[in-house]
Amino acid sequence: MAFGRGVLEGISRYRIEKQPWSVQLDLRDLMAGPPAWLNSWDGDGIITRVLPPEMLQFVHDRGVPTINLGDIRNETSLPSVMNDHDAIGRLAANHLADKGLEHFAFAGFDDHLWSQLRLDGFRARLDERGLASGEEIHLHLSEWSRAKTHGWQEQQDQIVEWVRSLPRPIGIFACNDFRGQHILEACQTAKVSVPDEVAVLGVDNDHVLCDFCDPPLSSIIPAAERIGFQAAQLLDQLMRREQPPDLHLRIDPLGIAERLSTDVMAIDDEDVAAAIQLIRFHACEGLTVSDILREVPIARSSLERRFRQYLGRSPQAEIRRVQIKRACQLLRDTELSLVKISRLTGFKHAEYFSVVFKREVKQTPGRYREASRAKARKL
């Protein structure tokens, strides 16, 4: 999936920049045993995310330098490069807490270490902020291994019932995007509104998966390419019989790709909440303040005053914020022309879109596209 591909990109970049290695690449399930060809393999080093007992025994018997990227089990006998899962959990807690939410939940796997570590960081940060102690976090923990053998539908039915039982509004931290997709599908089945009643945050920023979700899934961005690069560098040092200063590296996440699934503020004013929901779903269709007032029958002056009270901006500014946010995503992630992007974000003319975008973002659309992609390449 996306994280594994990012790791491979980092290893490949190290090969291109530093070492012309000859590499045997074997793509397999993370729970699988070692490949049969490994018994006759005559190589100098290994980077692996697959570390069942048989693989660990092989590595120890052969004595070949090996970098462990697998974090399903607590294995410390090999040098390793991994996500800082505690930092990921803390980042998730801050993101959901900053939305003004008071109820929190976690959905993960109780037979994978990385999931538990993310939960630990999530719990710790919420507790530090005085928002929820460990027992106040609503949990859905299931076995990945059981789902592999019994099918995901059994777990999905359980998730639907769990979602129905939760207090609302609530922020759910899903241990990865795969689980986040399950949560969003459960919300649809349970007829629970996202993000107004349930805000959902995943991990891995798998663009394809996140954008296929309905609504699109917000996700923490791991430094996958950096993990791959650092693993290759560490292996190179060990194969040269050097002594690296640290044999166990933990890499911080890069940030959060915020999409619609967490685009919410906990607001107890029903009229303002209804107006925000209209803006969220229809701003890019050319929604106006007059359109909102036809659906939310209050005086324009009252709507303006209450928006400023809760959001610190006017309804028109909130419409523009949603339009520009969508435009930024399209500029970063697609090759669409400015004419097409202007139409998809509710502007009739590309020229006016460019003027508004520069006023709000302080860059032209073209410059923003170039800068965001240059930043992505650097990361």
Side-chain angles (χ1 to χ4, degrees):
M1 299 178 72
F3 177 75
R5 292 194 299 273
V7 170
L8 287 176
E9 289 171 1
I11 296 171
S12 179
R13 181 162 64 87
Y14 187 86
R15 290 179 60 216
I16 293 170
E17 295 180 8
K18 306 291 184 179
Q19 287 292 338
W21 288 341
S22 173
V23 174
Q24 173 75 31
L25 176 62
D26 189 86
L27 303 178
R28 55 202 300 106
D29 189 283
L30 295 183
M31 305 297 287
W37 57 260
L38 201 59
N39 291 322
S40 58
W41 173 77
D42 184 24
D44 302 300
I46 297 173
I47 299 175
T48 183
R49 293 181 69 200
V50 180
L51 205 65
E54 306 94 316
M55 184 66 175
L56 184 62
Q57 188 63 51
F58 172 87
V59 168
H60 286 314
D61 290 346
R62 293 286 290 270
V64 62
T66 300
I67 308 301
N68 175 32
L69 306 185
D71 43 15
I72 294 175
R73 302 179 181 87
N74 186 19
E75 173 52 53
T76 60
S77 65
L78 295 175
S80 62
V81 184
M82 299 180 188
N83 282 306
D84 187 330
H85 298 296
D86 181 80
I88 287 175
R90 289 172 174 272
L91 184 61
N94 284 334
H95 180 71
L96 294 174
D98 288 346
K99 299 296 181 179
L101 296 164
E102 297 180 353
H103 300 291
F104 303 92
F106 176 84
F109 305 105
D110 56 9
D111 55 349
H112 281 203
L113 177 65
W114 56 267
S115 178
Q116 182 61 51
L117 294 174
R118 291 174 184 183
L119 171 58
D120 291 345
F122 187 61
R123 275 177 164 154
R125 185 59 187 139
L126 288 176
D127 186 56
E128 289 168 2
R129 293 185 60 154
L131 292 171
S133 61
E135 61 273 13
E136 293 172 330
I137 297 174
H138 301 268
L139 301 179
H140 186 280
L141 301 175
S142 56
E143 294 183 3
W144 179 288
S145 55
R146 178 175 175 81
K148 293 282 286 185
T149 56
H150 290 73
W152 291 103
Q153 189 57 49
E154 176 186 289
Q155 284 193 10
Q156 192 64 20
D157 294 340
Q158 295 171 0
I159 293 173
V160 171
E161 294 306 312
W162 178 66
V163 166
R164 286 179 173 143
S165 73
L166 296 174
R168 304 170 199 163
I170 193 169
I172 301 179
F173 173 34
C175 64
N176 61 7
D177 292 341
F178 191 48
R179 192 45 115 195
Q181 179 195 20
H182 295 161
I183 300 298
L184 291 176
E185 289 177 352
C187 288
Q188 285 190 333
T189 301
K191 294 181 170 47
V192 173
S193 176
V194 178
D196 302 281
E197 295 180 283
V198 174
V200 185
L201 175 66
V203 183
D204 283 340
N205 196 34
D206 187 322
H207 289 278
V208 174
L209 184 58
C210 290
D211 289 336
F212 259 103
C213 290
D214 186 17
L217 177 65
S218 296
S219 186
I220 292 175
I221 310 168
E225 186 173 340
R226 184 183 170 197
I227 287 173
F229 189 92
Q230 295 276 42
Q233 183 178 61
L234 184 57
L235 180 63
D236 194 15
Q237 292 172 317
L238 294 176
M239 291 193 300
R240 294 173 180 273
R241 302 191 184 282
E242 298 175 2
Q243 293 298 319
D246 192 349
L247 293 175
H248 298 282
L249 303 178
R250 299 295 176 263
I251 308 300
D252 287 339
L254 298 176
I256 294 177
E258 186 171 1
R259 300 179 179 89
L260 195 56
S261 71
T262 59
D263 189 10
V264 65
M265 290 297 294
I267 294 174
D268 58 7
D269 185 313
E270 291 184 2
D271 291 330
V272 173
I276 290 174
Q277 186 171 23
L278 282 170
I279 292 171
R280 184 181 300 116
F281 288 105
H282 301 291
C284 293
E285 299 170 8
L287 184 78
T288 66
V289 177
S290 296
D291 294 330
I292 296 173
L293 293 170
R294 279 192 287 271
E295 298 295 329
V296 183
I298 60 174
R300 180 184 289 263
S301 59
S302 178
L303 184 68
E304 294 273 352
R305 183 180 68 256
R306 287 150 75 176
F307 254 71
R308 294 188 184 281
Q309 174 186 347
Y310 284 101
L311 300 183
R313 52 184 172 267
S314 68
Q316 180 57 45
E318 179 64 8
I319 292 172
R320 190 69 74 223
R321 184 191 73 83
V322 172
Q323 290 176 308
I324 295 301
K325 184 177 181 179
R326 174 61 172 161
C328 288
Q329 181 192 8
L330 292 172
L331 287 166
R332 286 194 312 267
D333 299 339
T334 77
E335 299 295 338
L336 295 174
S337 68
L338 292 188
V339 171
K340 184 67 172 177
I341 290 175
S342 66
R343 291 174 181 170
L344 288 173
T345 52
F347 293 88
K348 293 182 179 179
H349 304 290
E351 294 81 6
Y352 181 58
F353 162 72
S354 295
V355 170
V356 173
F357 188 93
K358 185 176 181 180
R359 184 183 68 215
E360 299 293 328
V361 184
K362 313 305 180 188
Q363 288 181 310
T364 65
R367 179 58 188 150
Y368 176 85
R369 173 174 268 171
E370 293 172 2
S372 62
R373 293 184 177 181
K375 180 180 179 181
R377 287 193 297 270
K378 183 178 180 181
L379 293 174

